[in-house]
Amino acid sequence: MKPSDSLLRLRSRLLSAARLLDDHEAHLVREQLGVTRSDYGVLRCLAEAGPRSVSEVGRKLHLTSGAVTTAIDRVERRGWVFRRRRPGDRRMVTVELTPAGRTEFERVDPVVQVRLKDLFSGLNEVERAQFA
């Protein structure tokens, strides 16, 4: 076996593991907590970083402009965020959490964090740090 074969196999396994983790998180937030992964991502981004432009939220969450707009529309309809046009430049829109959005994030985030801690409990602190 060539060294490149083992590297390709390693890459494939890491991608498979990442997809499994992604699917697990998506199921958790949607089925058990009643929000989509994108909704949770928007709430988390704004809770941690404060008001951000739509494009900043999209970059942080690795979402296309269309996907981030859809996610923000969805959480805005639920009353969890609001959009504010920047004074002096109405093209720039900032997204902010509402008090209801902060409450929803505080409801959902601890559950996600506990699940992630359980999920990675097989790794010791050094191993987790290597992947962080």
Side-chain angles (χ1 to χ4, degrees):
M1 174 178 10
K2 297 184 293 187
S4 61
D5 291 343
S6 63
L7 291 175
L8 289 172
R9 202 171 20 250
L10 173 62
R11 178 186 173 275
S12 177
R13 288 184 179 169
L14 287 173
L15 287 172
S16 293
R19 283 189 203 104
L20 286 172
L21 289 172
D22 201 42
D23 290 348
H24 176 77
E25 181 187 12
H27 175 76
L28 168 69
V29 297
R30 184 181 310 114
E31 301 301 323
Q32 296 180 7
L33 300 173
V35 297
T36 69
R37 182 180 41 225
S38 297
D39 296 351
Y40 169 70
V42 170
L43 295 177
R44 182 170 187 80
C45 178
L46 298 174
E48 291 178 344
R52 293 285 172 245
S53 71
V54 173
S55 61
E56 288 172 322
V57 173
R59 277 193 303 276
K60 174 90 172 160
L61 300 178
H62 306 285
L63 295 174
T64 65
S65 61
V68 74
T69 298
T70 299
I72 291 171
D73 286 348
R74 197 171 37 248
V75 294
E76 186 176 39
R77 280 192 304 273
R78 295 179 91 166
W80 296 342
V81 302
F82 67 94
R83 289 176 167 104
R84 179 188 312 259
R85 297 225 179 256
R86 288 194 184 158
D89 188 353
R90 295 186 42 78
R91 295 170 298 166
M92 291 298 296
V93 176
T94 301
V95 183
E96 300 181 35
L97 275 183
T98 63
R102 168 82 47 200
T103 299
E104 182 64 12
F105 174 73
E106 290 170 353
R107 178 188 76 85
V108 171
D109 190 57
V111 177
V112 173
Q113 296 305 317
V114 166
R115 296 291 184 160
L116 290 174
K117 186 177 178 183
D118 289 347
L119 187 63
F120 292 110
S121 64
L123 300 175
N124 64 42
E125 198 157 325
V126 172
E127 292 167 330
R128 283 193 304 268
Q130 289 174 331
F131 287 104

